[in-house]
Amino acid sequence: MDQQGTAAMPAAKRARNHPLPPVLSPMIDLDLVCTQLRGRAKVDRLCFIAARAPSLAIPALSAALDAIKADSLDTDLHNAAFRDLSQRLADANLPQPIPDDAWIDKAARTARVETDKLEAELKTYRANSIKESIRMGYNDLGEHLLKCGQFESAAKAFFRAREYASAVPQGPWTSEVLPKTFVHHTFQVLHCHYYMGDHTFMAAQLNKLAPLLEPKADPSAAALAIVFQSLQHLRAHEYKRTAQLLSTLKLADVTDRIETVMAPADIGLVVMHCALATYSRAELKTLLSNDGFRTILDLDPVPRSLLAHFIHSQYAQCLTKLAAHRSATAALDPVLAPHLEQLATLARQRAIAQYCKPFVTVELGQMAAALACADPAALDAEIARLIASKMLPFRIDSRARLLRARRSDPRSTAFAAAMAAGDSLHAARAATLLRVAMVEAGCVIKAASAAGGGGSGSFGSGGGGGDPYDGYFGPGGSGPAGGNGAGGGGGGISTFMSALSSMATGGAPRRVGSGRERASNRLGSGRH
């Protein structure tokens, strides 16, 4: 069942092809790396160190070969690491290593025999239709293929084992129908796809599994899911979400399970870099006061020291130590290395913003000294980018070498707000007066009812019907008699126009009688 392609590409070759620059002065303890990691994660880390740090290549590759012989049957990975070690020794004019042909033959024979044996047992289990035996058979086959470095075949075996887990959920996953065997096989599948670099499949599985895990019921499983999720967010450059997830972990929960992915001490380093790049000062204080996460921060003194420097506005010490740590230690971490430059830029920009926040005027020379910046031109260019992106509310005075805050005059702002409020009140008053004038002039149409009606016409022609029609343009007579509609209409229009002219000259609108009152007056004068 040999596999070819990128899924089975040895870690040494992947590290050699990495575009990152070499680390010339590494500061890392290889023995500590071997102690903190297990399985394929240890071999990948050692091969990555060998590819990035030329001065540590020979001891790192020797340790990787020892780890492969102790825990793996992957002869392809062994041969790749051995060739790399031989090349390094030849470049250094050192004696060539002796190939361990006996181990290679034994590992290849063991892998072949064990594979045939497990496949035969699985065939028997399937013929007997014993569900638990079939699950165990697929699980054993997957574990063996994982040791052989055949990640794709191992993932398929673990996936089939999960299908035979007890109480397999039918339909949507819920916390009530997730047995421990189902969760265990899901994590095995995630490990295989993580080693293959298939992050799309991992994201789909984690989105379904992680919300259903109960931290109190199985804290180690919940912690492993959080680690996988944070790695997905880190890969998507979601640095704040990465820090928020990892800062919820406790050392007691991560000790048993995550060594196959990353070391517990590396969690503190990832959180430190992401927090310095995205957290506010208040959030950094909350992070340092987190009792649960403090146990992980105490594994390495560097994260706590750098976070404290930033909180206390000691930006020169923070940025200097951060640069030294980044170039000597963090660059040898395959998880952090691709993001270090962007994280460093974000941390420096946040330091600039925090430094300028309490001031109205900032001298650029003093800022360069406070931020330990040896290139003033580079600092000016970075400040200009921050101002252009509206992250820094300042303007640059190039002649005086100053930064001046863009702050509005509170007095002018108050006067402008008062004038705007006055204009709004004036407009509301004019609108109210206009409505009053229209109502008094009978220019507001009301809903018609079933009371009496009058003649037809426009703008006051025809007779008025009765009370329900009182208020039409130019109402006519009142009651059933109607008549004299033209006169009533003319009076309404003239009254409305006089009210408008009165408002235009600044006077109050003259109150006039309603349409009923005018009609009654006209009828009375006619009787006399």
Side-chain angles (χ1 to χ4, degrees):
M1 300 182 99
D2 295 337
Q3 284 181 239
Q4 304 294 333
T6 55
M9 181 186 293
K13 184 175 181 180
R14 291 201 304 270
R16 285 198 305 271
N17 293 338
H18 211 286
L20 299 173
V23 179
L24 301 179
S25 300
M27 294 181 62
I28 192 169
D29 188 352
L30 293 179
D31 295 333
L32 185 62
V33 171
C34 296
T35 304
Q36 293 178 337
L37 295 171
R38 292 187 289 110
R40 188 60 179 243
K42 180 199 296 187
V43 177
D44 285 350
R45 180 69 176 273
L46 291 171
C47 292
F48 188 84
I49 293 173
R52 295 294 312 281
S55 60
L56 294 178
I58 294 176
L61 289 171
S62 299
L65 286 173
D66 294 338
I68 293 171
K69 293 178 183 179
D71 302 326
S72 175
L73 297 175
D74 192 349
T75 55
D76 293 335
L77 180 61
H78 175 275
N79 294 334
F82 184 82
R83 287 194 299 270
D84 198 359
L85 177 60
S86 301
Q87 183 63 41
R88 301 278 183 171
L89 291 172
D91 295 340
N93 294 323
L94 294 175
Q96 290 292 308
I98 300 175
D100 194 349
D101 295 331
W103 180 89
I104 295 174
D105 295 339
K106 179 181 177 181
R109 183 172 60 255
T110 302
R112 183 174 61 256
V113 171
E114 189 69 15
T115 300
D116 295 340
K117 174 186 173 184
L118 292 173
E119 288 180 344
E121 292 178 352
L122 179 60
K123 186 176 181 181
T124 303
Y125 297 149
R126 296 184 64 180
N128 294 333
S129 300
I130 303 175
K131 185 176 181 180
E132 183 63 17
S133 298
I134 296 174
R135 184 189 70 81
M136 292 299 299
Y138 275 117
N139 180 76
D140 294 340
L141 180 60
E143 295 282 1
H144 170 68
L145 295 174
L146 185 62
K147 290 180 63 177
C148 296
Q150 302 176 19
F151 301 130
E152 187 174 352
S153 298
K156 292 179 180 178
F158 289 136
F159 198 86
R160 294 301 304 274
R162 191 178 71 175
E163 293 177 352
Y164 286 93
S166 58
V168 176
Q170 302 295 329
W173 295 359
T174 61
S175 56
E176 291 79 9
V177 296
L178 283 183
K180 289 187 176 181
T181 54
F182 185 88
V183 175
H184 173 69
H185 294 314
T186 301
F187 279 124
Q188 288 176 319
V189 173
L190 288 173
H191 275 91
C192 294
H193 285 273
Y194 174 72
Y195 297 144
M196 288 190 294
D198 188 0
H199 300 283
T200 303
F201 178 86
M202 290 181 62
Q205 294 292 308
L206 286 170
N207 290 336
K208 296 169 60 178
L209 178 64
L212 306 177
L213 295 176
E214 296 292 341
K216 294 183 179 179
D218 193 353
S220 60
L224 183 58
I226 288 175
V227 169
F228 275 126
Q229 278 187 309
S230 64
L231 293 178
Q232 296 298 311
H233 287 293
L234 182 64
R235 182 175 176 272
H237 303 278
E238 299 172 355
Y239 300 126
K240 188 167 187 176
R241 184 57 180 160
T242 301
Q244 289 173 341
L245 284 175
L246 291 179
S247 61
T248 62
L249 299 177
K250 299 179 181 178
L251 183 60
D253 300 337
V254 302
T255 304
D256 298 333
R257 300 284 288 269
I258 73 162
E259 288 89 351
T260 55
V261 180
M262 62 189 304
D266 294 339
I267 294 178
L269 296 178
V270 173
V271 171
M272 177 201 71
H273 282 277
C274 294
L276 289 176
T278 57
Y279 274 19
S280 64
R281 192 188 304 273
E283 290 172 326
L284 290 177
K285 290 181 180 179
T286 304
L287 179 63
L288 280 183
S289 61
N290 186 345
D291 294 334
F293 190 68
R294 185 180 300 173
T295 54
I296 295 179
L297 284 179
D298 291 339
L299 295 175
D300 192 336
V302 174
R304 178 176 290 276
S305 173
L306 292 179
L307 291 173
H309 283 317
F310 197 94
I311 290 174
H312 295 101
S313 301
Q314 299 170 350
Y315 303 115
Q317 296 93 319
C318 178
L319 295 177
T320 302
K321 291 182 180 180
L322 183 63
H325 178 269
R326 182 176 67 251
S327 61
T329 304
L332 299 177
D333 186 345
V335 174
L336 267 177
H339 307 274
L340 284 178
E341 291 300 325
Q342 185 174 0
L343 288 170
T345 301
L346 292 175
R348 188 169 57 252
Q349 291 177 351
R350 187 161 291 272
I352 293 173
Q354 292 284 351
Y355 180 84
C356 297
K357 188 175 182 179
F359 300 109
V360 177
T361 303
V362 180
E363 187 177 346
L364 291 176
Q366 292 182 356
M367 179 190 288
L371 298 176
C373 182
D375 188 359
L379 179 62
D380 293 351
E382 190 160 19
I383 291 174
R385 287 194 296 270
L386 291 176
I387 294 174
S389 60
K390 300 187 184 302
M391 294 178 60
L392 199 63
F394 282 78
R395 57 187 179 85
I396 301 177
D397 188 345
S398 302
R399 192 172 210 177
R401 298 289 297 163
L402 294 174
L403 277 181
R404 301 186 186 276
R406 294 181 179 271
R407 296 185 178 179
S408 59
D409 185 4
R411 184 179 180 186
S412 301
T413 304
F415 273 114
M419 293 299 294
D423 294 339
S424 177
L425 290 174
H426 182 73
R429 172 183 173 275
T432 303
L433 293 175
L434 177 61
R435 177 173 179 79
V436 170
M438 293 178 69
V439 169
E440 291 187 344
C443 299
V444 177
I445 301 176
K446 297 181 180 179
S449 64
S456 61
S458 61
F459 287 100
S461 62
D467 289 346
Y469 293 89
D470 189 17
Y472 271 85
F473 283 144
S478 175
N484 202 14
I493 294 177
S494 61
T495 305
F496 174 59
M497 296 304 295
S498 65
L500 289 182
S501 62
S502 176
M503 290 179 59
T505 57
R510 180 172 58 86
R511 178 173 178 82
V512 295
S514 64
R516 181 189 301 175
E517 294 172 352
R518 293 194 303 273
S520 300
N521 293 335
R522 287 195 297 271
L523 288 174
S525 61
R527 287 195 297 268
H528 291 293

